[in-house]
Amino acid sequence: MNTHLHLHPDVRTALQNGEPVVALESTIVAHGMPYPANLETARQLEFLVREGGATPATIAVANGQMHIGCSADMLESLASEEGVWKVSRRDLPMALAQKVLGATTVSGTLIGADLAGISVFATGGIGGVHRGVSETWDISADIPEMARARVAVVSAGAKSILDLPKTLEALETSGVSVLGYQTDEFPAFFVRESGLTLPHRCDNASQVARAMQAKWDLELAGGFLVANPIPEEHAADPSLVQTAIEAGLEAARSAGIEGKQLTPYLLQFINEVTEGASLKANRKLVEHNVALGTAIAVEYARLKKAS
Ligand code: PSU
Ligand code: MN
């Protein structure tokens, strides 16, 4: 095994036995939510994966290794320490070489999952094409990574801090199979609708698992984005969220926030402006995605064992 890859013993055993494993990201813990809600959420997500019959693998970087499955101590450090790196593909080599504590984004987490052979990864929202891209060229590394890694990402779509139509175009160009889960529309994170129609829809976990098997039996590179709308009862008031996002974008512009700082800045701004309403919705939708990701991982493991 690669010396830069550290598999948690539970994850190693599950993978060796062909049992379902669900990858979880750590940027959402270190940079996506405030303390202590972030730590409570991280623990709750691991609990939900186990409850659904799979093994959780929260992915992060520490001590010169990519950890596939974090210890309780590491989760706590990621949630509470200052100066945790935000690690996407371009940051990974230096984060390993300098032995820093690093939280992996969707793109960083996909690298770890793919290297370890984990086929499903559940999170909240993905990065994508930012508004104002023609000026900034800001397109998240999440997109090219979904085009490379053989992993299905379960998310509630993307926040309208992004340019959602352009994000879907970029996903199409990259060959990422976007599947609406029990929906014909691309969901917009806090809200169920974006007005953007998706080309494909799945209504149960086994349909998703069969599509995964078909893509990877052909040895096609890249994965899936399973777009799972936030449950109706937890959806935020669209106008409240939209106002907060617009204000956040304006504040970021005048403060000159850009690059990797932009997304965490906006997430924090929106949390503060909505006085925790967005955080509550965020937690609920991630839990919902993790439950679906677990069901998909269970189905996919069953299919693979049968074939
Ligand atoms: N969007 C969210 N919550 C998040 C993120 C995005 O609603 O926590 C995080 C994810 O880790 C994602 C990263 O991979 O931000 C994207 O950052 P950037 O836009 O800098 O690529
Ligand atoms: Mn960016």
Side-chain angles (χ1 to χ4, degrees):
M1 182 53 78
N2 191 314
T3 54
H4 290 295
L5 209 57
H6 181 278
L7 268 73
H8 187 287
D10 293 353
V11 175
R12 180 185 299 276
T13 306
L15 290 171
Q16 275 168 354
N17 296 332
E19 282 156 12
V21 177
V22 177
L24 302 167
E25 67 158 302
S26 43
T27 289
I28 191 175
V29 181
H31 308 287
M33 290 183 187
Y35 184 85
N38 56 354
L39 183 58
E40 289 161 18
T41 305
R43 289 177 175 154
Q44 172 70 5
L45 299 182
E46 293 198 345
F47 170 81
L48 286 173
V49 173
R50 287 199 188 90
E51 198 183 46
T55 301
T58 304
I59 296 180
V61 174
N63 308 316
Q65 291 185 305
M66 191 165 217
H67 288 254
I68 314 297
C70 285
S71 66
D73 282 353
M74 205 180 291
L75 221 49
E76 187 141 6
S77 299
L78 286 162
S80 59
E81 282 182 21
E82 294 293 319
V84 178
W85 281 28
K86 176 181 164 189
V87 179
S88 70
R89 175 175 281 263
R90 61 128 195 237
D91 311 296
L92 185 59
M94 285 300 281
L96 292 170
Q98 300 205 28
K99 300 186 168 24
V100 298
L101 182 63
T104 49
T105 62
V106 168
S107 79
T109 305
L110 280 170
I111 292 173
D114 202 29
L115 286 171
I118 299 171
S119 307
V120 180
F121 161 29
T123 187
I126 57 153
V129 180
H130 281 265
R131 297 208 212 167
V133 63
S134 58
E135 289 295 312
T136 63
W137 288 49
D138 191 348
I139 301 176
S140 176
D142 294 355
I143 302 242
E145 213 54 58
M146 283 189 269
R148 276 189 202 108
R150 286 179 192 171
V151 178
V153 181
V154 182
S155 98
K159 286 195 180 71
S160 44
I161 59 173
L162 300 176
D163 185 322
L164 298 182
K166 289 193 180 74
T167 298
L168 282 178
E169 291 295 344
L171 287 164
E172 181 189 359
T173 304
S174 304
V176 179
S177 311
V178 182
L179 312 177
Y181 192 77
Q182 298 178 347
T183 183
D184 298 308
E185 255 190 66
F186 191 57
F189 200 82
F190 294 121
V191 292
R192 293 173 59 83
E193 285 97 21
S194 66
L196 300 165
T197 305
L198 291 176
H200 302 290
R201 170 187 177 124
C202 287
D203 285 291
N204 55 57
S206 91
Q207 279 179 348
V208 179
R210 285 201 303 272
M212 290 161 66
Q213 194 180 38
K215 185 165 189 169
W216 299 328
D217 271 357
L218 278 177
E219 301 194 358
L220 294 184
F224 292 81
L225 177 61
V226 181
N228 187 32
I230 185 171
E232 191 77 65
E233 65 270 30
H234 300 303
D237 171 1
S239 65
L240 179 76
V241 170
Q242 208 43 45
T243 309
I245 288 173
E246 299 296 342
L249 289 166
E250 187 48 46
R253 240 189 321 270
S254 46
I257 307 288
E258 55 185 15
K260 72 193 284 189
Q261 270 80 42
L262 180 62
T263 297
Y265 178 90
L266 291 171
L267 297 178
Q268 193 183 338
F269 187 97
I270 295 163
N271 275 340
E272 284 168 11
V273 169
T274 62
E275 293 173 338
S278 73
L279 178 60
K280 196 158 157 247
N282 201 343
R283 289 179 72 167
K284 291 293 181 191
L285 69 85
V286 186
E287 289 172 13
H288 187 236
N289 294 340
V290 166
L292 175 58
T294 305
I296 293 169
V298 167
E299 276 301 320
Y300 185 65
R302 206 199 314 268
L303 269 187
K304 278 192 67 170
K305 277 195 175 168
S307 64

